Amino acid sequence: MREIGIGIIGGGYMGKAHAVAMSAVGAVFNTALRPRLEMICATSDASAEGYRTAYGFARATADWRVLVADPRVEAVVIASPQDTHRAIAEAAFALKKPVFCEKPLGADLADSRAMVAAAQASGCVNMVGFNYIRTPASQFARALVARGEIGTVTWFRGEHTEDFDADATTPATWRNFGAANGTMGDLAPHMINAALALIGPIARLSADIASVHTNRPGTDGRAVNDDIGQFICRFANGAMGHLSFSRVAMGRKMGYAYEITGTTGAIRFDQEDQNALWLYRADDPADIRGFRKILTGPAHPDYLPFCQGPGHGTGYQDQIIIEARDFLRAIETNTAIWPTFHDGMEVNRVVAAAHASAQSGAWMTL
Amino acid sequence: MREIGIGIIGGGYMGKAHAVAMSAVGAVFNTALRPRLEMICATSDASAEGYRTAYGFARATADWRVLVADPRVEAVVIASPQDTHRAIAEAAFALKKPVFCEKPLGADLADSRAMVAAAQASGCVNMVGFNYIRTPASQFARALVARGEIGTVTWFRGEHTEDFDADATTPATWRNFGAANGTMGDLAPHMINAALALIGPIARLSADIASVHTNRPGTDGRAVNDDIGQFICRFANGAMGHLSFSRVAMGRKMGYAYEITGTTGAIRFDQEDQNALWLYRADDPADIRGFRKILTGPAHPDYLPFCQGPGHGTGYQDQIIIEARDFLRAIETNTAIWPTFHDGMEVNRVVAAAHASAQSGAWMTL
Amino acid sequence: MREIGIGIIGGGYMGKAHAVAMSAVGAVFNTALRPRLEMICATSDASAEGYRTAYGFARATADWRVLVADPRVEAVVIASPQDTHRAIAEAAFALKKPVFCEKPLGADLADSRAMVAAAQASGCVNMVGFNYIRTPASQFARALVARGEIGTVTWFRGEHTEDFDADATTPATWRNFGAANGTMGDLAPHMINAALALIGPIARLSADIASVHTNRPGTDGRAVNDDIGQFICRFANGAMGHLSFSRVAMGRKMGYAYEITGTTGAIRFDQEDQNALWLYRADDPADIRGFRKILTGPAHPDYLPFCQGPGHGTGYQDQIIIEARDFLRAIETNTAIWPTFHDGMEVNRVVAAAHASAQSGAWMTL
Amino acid sequence: MREIGIGIIGGGYMGKAHAVAMSAVGAVFNTALRPRLEMICATSDASAEGYRTAYGFARATADWRVLVADPRVEAVVIASPQDTHRAIAEAAFALKKPVFCEKPLGADLADSRAMVAAAQASGCVNMVGFNYIRTPASQFARALVARGEIGTVTWFRGEHTEDFDADATTPATWRNFGAANGTMGDLAPHMINAALALIGPIARLSADIASVHTNRPGTDGRAVNDDIGQFICRFANGAMGHLSFSRVAMGRKMGYAYEITGTTGAIRFDQEDQNALWLYRADDPADIRGFRKILTGPAHPDYLPFCQGPGHGTGYQDQIIIEARDFLRAIETNTAIWPTFHDGMEVNRVVAAAHASAQSGAWMTL
């Protein structure tokens, strides 16, 4: 058991999630590396100090360069706005420090490519935080597909849908402006990452992207970014796919959901019931064939955060703790951990292709 | 109360469904017009006679022209293969007889256009049988959208998915050859009709259509038709849409399912639980807001076949009886009844556009 | 194929259901015996004549003795109030006519015993209509238990819950007075019959029965009957059980639901989703173990009314048609058909024991 | 913000859960009192030292008296076997230290009564850990009942069912012997506590309790304790109830589930989908009335552990963190916090009454 100094940049929702995870992960998983909450960085000294005391860090700073350079910060967690990701990561890698970066990797494809190059040049552990994919259910879905439980995949449908911006009278915020903050920049990466992980590379796609509420209070005549997007696609293995994304999907709270159809079975998942994975197997006897509602639990020990007893259920924070464990393990063993920065860049590539297709009205080949 | 002589062409699955419906509809709905099972037509004298005794018709024939021309046949139900629809309908309309035609209307768009012209020239009642749309739940969904319960529709996703051809070792049949018998010809019309009914006309679409199992036993090197298809689209009102269709959707038995998102609510439906309609209303108090599982029943009297008591549930055959009732009412009152032949033709137009888009790789405007 | 003249006593909800079933059953199942709607009996000449024309009977009467005695009435369906069941059945059996009787068999246990004696003395086919038990799902559940799919049953929980009387401001009707019309008389027999069919005889029970709304408008100081009841029990095979019944179960439309736990599996069913049966099998591999949602369909041919295609769904009326088929088959082959009058009497015995236990506060042995 | 030294007795499943919770609660809720993991106690020096390093405590001991007496231990968490609860609590209260005790409170009713007396004499904060009741959904259910959302409660059905002992070939362990370790001692308290919290005191009950698997490997002729139990009851307010408990409920992983029926609505919950609460409201318009699936989230801020974003979901560990927060708040403000030791004793009383009723075969009045 050895301590490792953690620096987190960003103290908001995700910064807090990672701070809690780093506090808890040692006890939960009895990790060999034990995080020490060394430094938190926020946009001002005051807010940084507030986060420091709230989350229990040793020190605080308003300058991420100070954090990255500090010798007691041995690993860096990036939970700040997208347009800061690249510079922080490059600085950290230059100092040979492992980096965990919240999704999406870069603010655009160029940033992501530079970040991948920096990571590879450094040889350091690098990991992207897509969070939801680390539920026990989704991890198990990946394993089921990989072990051929449903045969050859022929169809994938995924969505990431929420309704936090569905009310047209909600005033515009920074989220409603700038390509990176729209639905394709903010929500789409989650499900694109899931699709790539579950099925494999996307070969080509035809997309449609739109703004639904263009006259919110506070818009003041400015063009708003995208509320909704979708594409049909073919994966490299020939499977047909459809992905859709929305922040105006009235009624959907965490519509991170997918269905995977194979030649001998099918899988369904919806994050709104995150402890259940549905599996259909064609080789069950015909009269007792049906989708099985599998509750993740002790029978899935590789994917669980903390559940020696039956059916206890995992929540959002558990996923983040699993991410922390995996990041620490990668550092300890100096091995690559999925999703790497390269995986994160692949997600950016798909987002870029979708934008291009939506603009040109043509299929795009990746 | 007055009798009306019914002639049904086709004695297979749908012919039987309509025969049963015509037997039962009078008692169920106390209709003013009472069907008399006058004549059944099948492909041979023997099979026609078999159907006659099984279903209780007065007479049988192997020649649909005999049936159409018979003076005691006052209304014609077409439940024969698609390529026979046009000639039968034209003959019936020429004799001023009302026609109920199973979906899809014509074998191709040209046939459908001719059928619409014949129907309009005759002034006779004409109706297409899309069956599933007549569940109480889907009829009620239409009413909810129409009365503005969910505001302006911004998104529609629909599917018609089954798995009857999902097993790659199932030998090829006639269903696997010929454009009209593929998934786009056989299954897609159901959900396209639903989309048009629930949301309105489709303005443009980008499609992808494919064969999944190309080497079934019995294929003998012949090209098989489509197993799976999908398109993204925009409706004339600006709403974004996605429709998908499959007969190889392992695990899906009757995946006639849709979700409709509006600015103040949302609706969900899945025919596999056909008595439930899910409704989300944005103006419910925030802490008790959620999708309501509405069970169709006595509170929805306009749509129910037979249910004075609570929660009794409707099945597939009930939908067909409702169709029979609506067809009889239209004849009695000499009024148009949705979906007319024109509505059926609109479905064919969308199917044709999807094929064209899938071939060209470009968006098609309708 | 041979005609059989059917006489139905009672033209209300259940009379109509059976009339429709007798109209449709021949075409649906291609039965050897073909029902001829010979005579309908109602409480007045006018209402009988109304039902005659509505349902398509040849003749009508206000005197059930006329119907029973008529030589062209070859089988009698009793759908009239409970206190008329016994006299009608005795008269029909005296004339050696088969009888189908709506549940509950008799108005009390004494009536039921007399009816069983009359049926046995006559040697005629006798059957009780518990309706819901004839869904494909519940028939299949019986088969699964019988073939040992879930091992030895250790627990049964069943309910029949509705909310048609849940609103305390609904004025009292005849349903609110008289022991036979309360929840224990009206609803409990359905689920008790299911329990006996699925698990076997009940050995002893401890019950509680109550009126919930005692001051409805129109009660006028009279004592109302029971709204709600329940008992814990042991089956003869040692399994523990719980049954509950309510007409004031706010939110429940057709809560005919049960769960059966065995040593190697479990089954769940809820009539509000009547085409689904849930099965858990302990010998599935641990990581893919879960309740399977089995949709009744072509894989369950013995139980389906009419479904050559996949996933079409059965409704309430379908169950009644299945009952009609089974009644006709029993007549044709002169064999006993479950549930016989004896089975119906066993249900009355349990109801009587529950009343006795609720009054005495002690366990009752049956 | 002020530190408080925490001592936890027991390092197993629940000891770990509370250690993790005490590590995380400060950051999650920005609590005024910040736990310092001061000392862990286990059955041997070696295991205590193992837990110390795994969970991050400052010190370890094999003697709970050392822990309780240590001046740096300012609050005591009891997560050791039931028969140790009383002595530990009495010692802690004698030193005026607040105590959080895992359920059930005492090994029997006498122990519980003594513990309540000691708590009251000390004036210290005392709290029982029933865990599941602290999900956001169940807390919200309590609030909904309390604010009259469903009117007057007329019916409650609750269960705590799992299947960890359902396999008859699983060898016997300590869990299979001793009244306190059976289903009534181990599982029943959870749902009894829920019933008391949601509805109020139980007035009388009639129970049945049984062993299902009496010949497990390793039983060696010894009498095993109870696998399954249930009772029907009346609450003090007149509502009828049913509670059941099982560790042999094949297929159930965390069947902590209840339904509450009131005069104007109903509530349903199942811990296997722990982020959903189902609510039916009778005053919704008839045609859009149905159970609403409410996902706990930002609209329920009082009950959530950590969820500023929508639909993120809470897991088992989150409940324990909420308990830790509530315990700390009670200490900080020196106020009573539900469930107190008195509440825990009330649960023991019901368990005792159920045992008595099951033995005598008579209703028991509490």
Side-chain angles (χ1 to χ4, degrees), chain B residues 268-332:
Chain B
R268 295 181 151 233
F269 175 73
D270 190 328
Q271 182 86 4
E272 289 185 357
D273 185 8
Q274 70 207 68
N275 295 298
L277 190 72
W278 296 76
L279 172 68
Y280 183 92
R281 296 175 76 248
D283 65 355
D284 282 334
D287 65 353
I288 57 170
R289 212 179 281 161
F291 274 96
R292 301 168 183 197
K293 186 179 185 182
I294 301 167
L295 295 175
T296 50
H300 316 93
D302 294 348
Y303 317 112
L304 283 178
F306 174 27
C307 185
Q308 296 145 0
H312 277 170
T314 64
Y316 177 77
Q317 183 63 53
D318 296 311
Q319 304 159 206
I320 313 297
I321 296 176
I322 297 175
E323 283 190 330
R325 175 199 63 182
D326 294 348
F327 182 52
L328 294 175
R329 274 192 194 159
I331 295 172
E332 180 200 352

Side-chain angles (χ1 to χ4, degrees), chain B residues 13 16 28 54 306 308 312, chain C residues 13 16 28 34 308 312 317:
Chain B
Y13 186 69
K16 178 176 176 179
V28 170
F306 174 27
Q308 296 145 0
H312 277 170
Chain C
Y13 186 69
K16 178 177 175 179
V28 170
R34 291 298 174 115
Q308 297 144 0
H312 277 170
Q317 183 64 52

